[in-house]
Amino acid sequence: MRKKELIPVLFAFLIGAAAGILFVLPGFQKRTDVYLRGFSVSGDGTVITVETFTIGSMGYIRAMETKQVKNEIHCFFYRTFGGLNSGFGAKSRFEIRLENFVNPAEFIYLDRVGLDQLVLKRDAETGEWVPVSFLPQ
């Protein structure tokens, strides 16, 4: 292949690579502007379904990751793939399977920069999950 024929091919490859990076990269970024809209607990008490929303003007949520710290569950959320305001794979309902954790959970937090927000806690007397905060703090 001659040099003059290689330039358009290389140019097309670079444009395709840049577009691919712009499509994929946002999906690996965490969202810290996610809030609790509502929740429900399964009949056997092993699954909590949280319904979420974002207060940001752009973007959606695609996934939730949970991490246990003692008796607390901390929830981390990730942006969708496909660019800044893509709805590709967007979800707002996520399940927290309590049987997947070593210690019994008493508190559920949503990820914030610096200090996580407590949104649900288990009532010590009844054992039922009750909301602490739905609103941004």
Side-chain angles (χ1 to χ4, degrees), residues 36 38-39 48-52 64 92-96 120:
L36 185 66
F39 74 99
I48 297 176
T49 303
V50 293
E51 187 172 340
T52 61
M64 179 183 75
S92 62
R93 299 177 71 124
F94 301 94
E95 290 184 347
I96 301 170
L120 296 172

Side-chain angles (χ1 to χ4, degrees), residues 86-105:
S86 170
F88 183 69
K91 293 171 45 177
S92 62
R93 299 177 71 124
F94 301 94
E95 290 184 347
I96 301 170
R97 299 193 170 277
L98 298 175
E99 72 266 10
N100 291 346
F101 300 102
V102 176
N103 299 322

Side-chain angles (χ1 to χ4, degrees), residues 72-89:
E72 304 171 352
I73 296 174
H74 293 260
C75 303
F76 304 90
F77 298 90
Y78 291 90
R79 296 180 181 275
T80 55
F81 292 110
L84 294 175
N85 206 26
S86 170
F88 183 69

Side-chain angles (χ1 to χ4, degrees), residues 117-130:
Q117 180 182 0
L118 176 63
V119 293
L120 296 172
K121 71 176 182 178
R122 190 185 305 258
D123 185 283
E125 293 179 16
T126 64
E128 293 183 12
W129 287 94
V130 294

Side-chain angles (χ1 to χ4, degrees), residues 46-75:
T46 61
V47 178
I48 297 176
T49 303
V50 293
E51 187 172 340
T52 61
F53 71 98
T54 62
I55 60 167
S57 62
M58 290 183 66
Y60 299 92
I61 309 164
R62 71 168 174 86
M64 179 183 75
E65 177 184 340
T66 56
K67 178 181 175 184
Q68 186 172 31
V69 179
K70 298 180 183 175
N71 63 345
E72 304 171 352
I73 296 174
H74 293 260
C75 303

Side-chain angles (χ1 to χ4, degrees), residues 19-29 80-83:
I21 288 170
L22 290 174
F23 182 81
V24 172
L25 273 182
F28 295 107
Q29 295 175 340
T80 55
F81 292 110

